Amino acid sequence: MNFCSNCGGRVHLQVPTGDDRPRHVCQACGMVHYRNPLMVVGCIPQWEDRILLCRRNIEPRKGKWTLPAGYLENGETVIEGARRETWEEAGSRVADLAPYLLFDIVYVNQVYLMFRAQMETPDYCTTDESSEVALFHETEIPWHDIAFRVMEKTLARYFEDRSVGRYPFRIRQVTRARQ
Amino acid sequence: MNFCSNCGGRVHLQVPTGDDRPRHVCQACGMVHYRNPLMVVGCIPQWEDRILLCRRNIEPRKGKWTLPAGYLENGETVIEGARRETWEEAGSRVADLAPYLLFDIVYVNQVYLMFRAQMETPDYCTTDESSEVALFHETEIPWHDIAFRVMEKTLARYFEDRSVGRYPFRIRQVTRARQ
């Protein structure tokens, strides 16, 4: 950040009065520009005993498999966001979203909130963002081709919980060292 | 948003190629500036059968009572953020944070994540942000002087759940009409 989005003046990193950490402060109008973590919302779409994965058609990790997820937008709830991303990335309508895993990914300032969700029908399709979309049995999951560690952890936890039939809500962390 | 924080050029609201909603796009360097919901993290600090409330020393709702909560900062986990806010606003150290309620407050683009938490000791104090901090029995809660509807809802749910001894994680919404 170099310039003030309000007045176009130069910003400097400094600790504002009454604050305890550096912020981008405009040297012209005095506006303080905060930067905060972003929320990513996504789904584990289920159809009977299979789950839906998308092969990424965009960077990063183009060609790798992932669960549908993306940035929460202004104007929507977390559940609406997770449903929208599942529609945009996988062409699938999901219902009965149950909050399942929250991941802190501190080194990129992101918070992931993943839901379990039921596909309303077994319909899905490729999209601009996904070159391939498919339902997988547990034994078919392409573990060595999962795009992101957060998705690998989500899938591993899901199948572990499924084996005992309980899906408690949990908070976990993804750290850089293991990415 | 009027100017580009990258180059200082003018930004216009327009739908970028491949996007489906208006964003602030720099007319000089082309950078797209996204705006996304902010996370607020907070606690219900418990000591034996009492809970800790803060009387706000700052606007909005100065003089009203609230639970400690504030914006999640870059570089911290949601649990670290909730503990920090409890320390900053109430001078209380909390442990054993259990995720409890998530509120979508769409009309202000905020997501609240509230934890149940145990106070490590019965110590607390006034702070820059709180003119008074005190432990309350359920019968002593100042229901007509709670600062924000999200906190009123959190407290009401907490005492309802406490009466049956179960605290399932839930997602709820706070709407403008009822604020």
Side-chain angles (χ1 to χ4, degrees), chain A residues 52 54 86-92 123-128 130-134:
Chain A
L52 196 66
C54 308
T86 306
W87 172 251
E88 287 177 3
E89 298 191 356
S92 167
D123 300 310
Y124 51 85
C125 60
T126 61
T127 63
D128 287 350
S130 307
S131 60
E132 195 179 348
V133 178

Side-chain angles (χ1 to χ4, degrees), chain A residues 2 5-6 23 72-73, chain B residues 2 5-6 23 36 72-73:
Chain A
N2 305 305
S5 58
N6 180 51
R23 314 281 184 185
L72 181 65
E73 296 276 7
Chain B
N2 305 305
S5 58
N6 179 50
R23 314 281 184 184
N36 299 83
L72 182 65
E73 296 276 7

Side-chain angles (χ1 to χ4, degrees), chain A residues 49-80:
Chain A
D49 65 341
R50 290 181 295 170
I51 65 134
L52 196 66
L53 295 179
C54 308
R55 191 193 281 272
R56 288 176 62 81
N57 194 35
I58 48 176
E59 295 295 350
R61 313 288 170 96
K62 186 172 175 174
K64 301 290 184 183
W65 292 90
T66 190
L67 291 162
Y71 289 118
L72 181 65
E73 296 276 7
N74 280 353
E76 67 186 5
T77 66
V78 290
I79 285 176
E80 287 166 353

